[in-house]
Amino acid sequence: MPSTLESDAVAATLERLLTAEDKQDLAAEWAAAGVDLGGEFPADMSAAEMAERTKDIIMSVSRKGGELLYLLTRAVKARTVVEFGTSFGISTLYLAAAVRDNGGERVITTELQQDKARKATENFAAAGLGDLIDLRLGDARETLRELPEQVDLLLLDGWLDLRLPILRVVEPRLRPGALVVIDDVDLDIGRGVYAEFRDYISDPANGYLSVTIPVHQGVQLALKVG
């Protein structure tokens, strides 16, 4: 039986978005947003300001990263998925395709920037997966406070220095055996933003087993065991 990922509507929507992402000149796009990718990340810029400045930049998982997300979501038989960082909805579509094939319930995702959220919603509808996706607009530290009793998979793909705070918000809902997927862990923005996160996720007292794999700019997988 073909997977949802292979349906004409999903495949066409993903191909359109991924092709547009591939065509971007990221250095120029970020420079226009006031960020020098070769320099120091602007630590004093709020997430809201950064989101507004980068509202036209497609920031998402790679093609291989998306395929990995689909496989992982299917493998853990995830029926309820939470995502931090919607952007234009590329990773959300991979997750929703897998949840549909698992006979599942929904993907809860959150986006800070209103224009991106609107375009993501249009992409979900074009792919025919909108009925599975609950897109919440606003600060994820607030929008993800209301969740189902059990979450099977969490994707952390939003602003780098907010990932630990978001993990702590969602963590009480992660079931034993739930998977946490963290994208771009090898991305160096010169601020050591992952030090605290890595310390937390690698401390056995916090109940995770984790490994980093060399997909795109690094993907960390953490299994909730306690």
Side-chain angles (χ1 to χ4, degrees):
M1 180 178 178
S3 76
T4 297
L5 203 59
E6 298 171 308
S7 75
D8 290 344
V10 175
T13 303
L14 282 171
E15 184 58 32
R16 170 172 57 82
L17 292 169
L18 289 165
T19 298
E21 184 174 25
D22 289 342
K23 290 180 178 178
Q24 290 181 131
D25 183 341
L26 280 179
E29 296 277 1
W30 279 97
V35 179
D36 178 6
L37 291 180
E40 188 72 13
F41 195 86
D44 57 344
M45 193 180 296
S46 70
E49 182 181 358
M50 182 66 77
E52 191 62 30
R53 289 194 184 196
T54 60
K55 66 180 182 179
D56 296 321
I57 303 177
I58 302 176
M59 294 177 280
S60 188
V61 293
S62 63
R63 293 170 187 265
K64 287 193 178 297
E67 293 168 3
L68 176 65
L69 275 180
Y70 177 84
L71 290 174
L72 291 171
T73 306
R74 292 299 308 274
V76 300
K77 297 180 172 59
R79 295 175 62 85
T80 300
V81 171
V82 173
E83 176 187 39
F84 165 49
T86 311
S87 190
F88 290 95
I90 295 175
S91 53
T92 321
L93 291 174
Y94 281 104
L95 294 169
V99 167
R100 171 159 289 176
D101 290 341
N102 285 341
E105 298 175 5
R106 56 180 157 162
V107 177
I108 299 167
T109 187
T110 182
E111 174 55 46
L112 187 57
Q113 211 285 324
Q114 186 171 8
D115 292 341
K116 274 191 172 179
R118 175 179 53 80
K119 291 175 182 177
T121 300
E122 293 171 358
N123 292 328
F124 302 155
L129 292 172
D131 60 315
L132 284 172
I133 300 169
D134 175 5
L135 172 55
R136 301 177 181 183
L137 178 64
D139 188 323
R141 289 168 291 188
E142 299 300 326
T143 61
L144 295 181
R145 290 195 178 277
E146 296 293 329
L147 293 173
E149 287 297 319
Q150 179 172 288
V151 172
D152 303 308
L153 186 144
L154 168 64
L155 172 61
L156 296 173
D157 195 24
W159 297 114
L160 305 179
D161 46 1
L162 291 180
R163 295 182 181 190
L164 183 54
I166 300 307
L167 175 61
R168 286 175 168 153
V169 169
V170 180
E171 195 170 47
R173 302 295 191 183
L174 293 175
R175 65 166 173 84
L179 193 62
V180 181
V181 183
I182 311 100
D183 197 26
D184 296 329
V185 295
D186 292 334
L187 183 63
D188 182 7
I189 61 172
R191 288 169 53 197
V193 294
Y194 279 120
E196 186 179 7
F197 186 95
R198 282 182 175 137
D199 288 347
Y200 184 84
I201 210 81
S202 62
D203 184 346
N206 294 320
Y208 294 95
L209 296 174
S210 69
V211 64
T212 299
I213 58 177
V215 174
H216 195 46
Q217 298 188 81
V219 174
Q220 186 172 13
L221 308 177
L223 180 70
K224 190 76 171 78
V225 294

